[in-house]
Amino acid sequence: MIAALEPTELPADAVEVGRVLDAWGVKGWIKVMPYSASPESLFSSRRWFLLPPDRGARPFEGTMLLKVSQAKEHGDSVVALPHEMSDRNAAEALKGCRIYVPRSSFPTPAEDEYYWVDLIDAATDEINFYALQFYNDFDMVNNRWVVQSATVIG
């Protein structure tokens, strides 16, 4: 067991936001591939929930809580220093782990902007589903779907 990890339950509103690529440096930092070009969701929460990799070695079973003391952008990736992890070997053991954060910890989007995960839920609502059919153009910006143009229905 890796000392920096605590067994826990995955939050009900957890969203997968990235995965651990490898160790970074020799002091326990990890390198993360975010699933967004602007990984604010990784920076907005200092409590990351890890699930083991889909393939390869499984350093643990179930869900683990990883508390993060520092995180910063590094090129097209993110590097993070977990609490109580000062060893490259422990960081290497997390390679391939999937990172989740609670949706409730995401930054508040600007007016008329939405996270893609919110639109997925909205599509189950019949009223929102019909409204979504008439949007002409969506763009993904900062892990959010932004409506660029829409047809107004009278």
Side-chain angles (χ1 to χ4, degrees):
M1 175 86 158
I2 301 168
L5 299 178
E6 301 173 23
T8 191
E9 295 292 322
L10 192 63
D13 66 340
V15 177
E16 187 172 1
V17 294
R19 72 178 168 86
V20 179
L21 291 173
D22 209 346
W24 186 74
V26 296
K27 297 184 177 181
W29 287 74
I30 57 174
K31 186 173 185 178
V32 173
M33 179 184 76
Y35 294 154
S36 172
S38 299
E40 289 94 359
S41 58
L42 283 166
F43 303 131
S44 66
S45 178
R46 295 294 184 198
R47 298 168 52 88
W48 296 357
F49 296 85
L50 302 183
L51 289 179
D54 288 328
R55 293 181 248 169
R58 296 175 69 90
F60 56 85
E61 292 297 324
T63 303
M64 294 290 175
L65 174 63
L66 180 70
K67 295 178 183 173
V68 177
S69 60
Q70 295 179 52
K72 58 187 177 181
E73 289 189 67
H74 183 70
D76 60 353
S77 63
V78 169
V79 292
L81 178 62
H83 284 289
E84 300 178 17
M85 187 180 291
S86 58
D87 175 281
R88 180 177 176 87
N89 294 333
E92 286 176 335
L94 298 179
K95 185 175 182 174
C97 288
R98 297 167 289 151
I99 302 169
Y100 291 76
V101 297
R103 166 61 184 91
S104 57
S105 72
F106 282 25
T108 303
E111 187 176 330
D112 295 327
E113 290 187 358
Y114 304 92
Y115 287 104
W116 61 265
V117 70
D118 296 336
L119 291 179
I120 291 169
D121 289 340
T124 62
D125 180 340
E126 186 176 339
I127 296 168
N128 288 331
F129 175 75
Y130 288 115
L132 287 172
Q133 289 180 352
F134 294 95
Y135 290 140
N136 300 325
D137 187 22
F138 286 104
D139 279 335
M140 181 67 99
V141 177
N142 298 332
N143 202 27
R144 301 176 197 135
W145 284 108
V146 179
V147 176
Q148 298 297 327
S149 66
T151 302
V152 178
I153 303 168

